[in-house]
Amino acid sequence: MPRKSFTPEQIIAKLRLIEVAMGSGKTAQLACKEASISEQSYYRWRKEYGGLQHDQAKRFKELERENARLRRLVADLSLEKAMLKEVASGNW
């Protein structure tokens, strides 16, 4: 079954929909089924996006992407630095 990817806005909308359904007396399992997501996804999303608004969630995802990019850059630069140190010392 292909995996669906949701935007942060869609995730927050589904979380709100499930919260409303649960507030009206439905179980989490039934509310998730009506929202077409698994119960596991609901709890994972609630943990990650719990109290965020749409714009905050979008900014959060942008920061996560930027952080991952910067971590890759630091790793690459650290590797280059280590290689240059090794070449400069002449121990090979």
Side-chain angles (χ1 to χ4, degrees), residues 5-55:
S5 60
F6 295 99
T7 65
E9 293 83 12
Q10 291 172 328
I11 291 172
I12 291 174
K14 286 194 180 276
L15 286 175
R16 299 291 179 251
L17 179 70
I18 292 171
E19 288 173 7
V20 168
M22 289 175 65
S24 67
K26 293 184 181 176
T27 63
Q29 184 179 15
L30 185 59
C32 290
K33 189 173 183 178
E34 288 176 358
S36 303
I37 62 168
S38 68
E39 202 170 350
Q40 181 181 8
S41 293
Y42 166 68
Y43 288 114
R44 184 170 25 90
W45 288 351
R46 191 177 74 175
K47 180 179 165 187
E48 188 173 348
Y49 294 100
L52 298 179
Q53 300 298 321
H54 289 290
D55 56 338

Side-chain angles (χ1 to χ4, degrees), residues 68-84:
R69 183 182 63 84
L70 291 173
R71 284 178 187 255
R72 282 192 302 273
L73 282 172
V74 168
D76 290 343
L77 290 174
S78 297
L79 182 62
E80 286 179 24
K81 180 181 174 184
M83 289 172 36
L84 288 172

